[in-house]
Amino acid sequence: MASRIALQLSGVERSYGQGETTLQILKGVDFTLRSGEIVALVAPSGTGKSTLLHVAGLLEHPDAGEIRIAGEPCNGLSDERRTAIRRAEIGFVYQFHHLLPEFSAIENIMMPQLISGLSKAEARERSKALLDYMRIGHRAEHRPAELSGGEQQRVAIARAVANAPMVLLADEPTGNLDPETAHYVFEALEALVRQSGLAALIATHNMELAGRMDRRVTISGGKVVDL
């Protein structure tokens, strides 16, 4: 059976004002991401990688074009509905983990689940399972400052998928890690995607990691093209 389309961008454009001029970053982007697929986004800095991820993740509005998440058109939706879709269907991982320093690893993962209405007991059980899956269950009660860089990123990944989203968007998730740690973090991320059927778009400068993904795309002339 064909995998489901999780994310679809059609004719997406995005510009920014720069003084009296307008800088057009995305120029009619067409892109499709399917469930269970890991796609590497490899492009030089300044070409629009972060802009593409922000627009795809409903953090920014496109100037033109259409975005569909799990088949639902997202243009013209209220901010409340966009927030609800982000919370339920989209997970984000960044280069820096952005974990809340005053909370333990397991509490950081519980947070988005509690916001979505899960009970504390359910959220804790799922968070413990995710930490075990990421092979850091023994660090559940440690705060971020007590974790290594690789452990922090694995907690951040677990938090991103805590609400079982359909789409995972990652912006240089291993950029701050040494090569060996980056390998282990990506290995955990890949296993999670394969097991859960997530659709993942991962911006990276690491060509070795990009080579392990299902396909590679870049941004050229404001459009997404295959490598």
Side-chain angles (χ1 to χ4, degrees), residues 71-168:
E72 178 175 352
C74 298
N75 295 39
L77 295 178
S78 66
D79 287 342
E80 183 180 11
R81 179 60 188 150
R82 287 168 66 88
T83 298
I85 292 173
R86 277 200 307 273
R87 187 181 298 147
E89 301 292 358
I90 305 171
F92 296 93
V93 180
Y94 298 99
Q95 184 170 347
F96 185 69
H97 57 78
H98 294 295
L99 298 173
L100 298 171
E102 65 272 31
F103 294 103
S104 66
I106 197 165
E107 288 169 340
N108 267 278
I109 301 169
M110 288 171 64
M111 203 69 65
Q113 300 174 75
L114 296 174
I115 291 170
S116 291
L118 250 66
S119 71
K120 193 171 182 178
E122 289 174 311
R124 177 169 283 275
E125 184 179 353
R126 176 165 171 76
S127 299
K128 182 64 168 68
L130 282 167
L131 284 170
D132 288 341
Y133 191 85
M134 301 299 281
R135 299 180 182 177
I136 48 172
H138 60 294
R139 308 290 273 166
E141 302 301 334
H142 289 70
R143 294 188 179 185
E146 300 171 311
L147 303 175
S148 70
E151 289 170 339
Q152 290 168 345
Q153 277 302 75
R154 278 185 273 180
V155 174
I157 291 167
R159 181 183 59 181
V161 302
N163 283 334
M166 176 162 281
V167 178
L168 180 69

Side-chain angles (χ1 to χ4, degrees), residues 14-91:
R14 185 72 172 107
S15 301
Y16 299 99
Q18 198 172 61
E20 296 182 356
T21 63
T22 298
L23 186 63
Q24 189 169 9
I25 304 297
L26 304 180
K27 304 176 182 179
V29 167
D30 296 314
F31 176 71
T32 299
L33 185 66
R34 293 183 174 274
S35 58
E37 181 180 41
I38 308 178
V39 176
L41 174 58
V42 183
S45 297
T47 55
K49 292 196 307 293
S50 294
T51 297
L52 178 66
L53 292 172
H54 289 169
V55 170
L58 307 185
L59 293 170
E60 294 185 27
H61 291 269
D63 300 319
E66 183 176 67
I67 299 164
R68 288 176 177 262
I69 305 288
E72 178 175 352
C74 298
N75 295 39
L77 295 178
S78 66
D79 287 342
E80 183 180 11
R81 179 60 188 150
R82 287 168 66 88
T83 298
I85 292 173
R86 277 200 307 273
R87 187 181 298 147
E89 301 292 358
I90 305 171

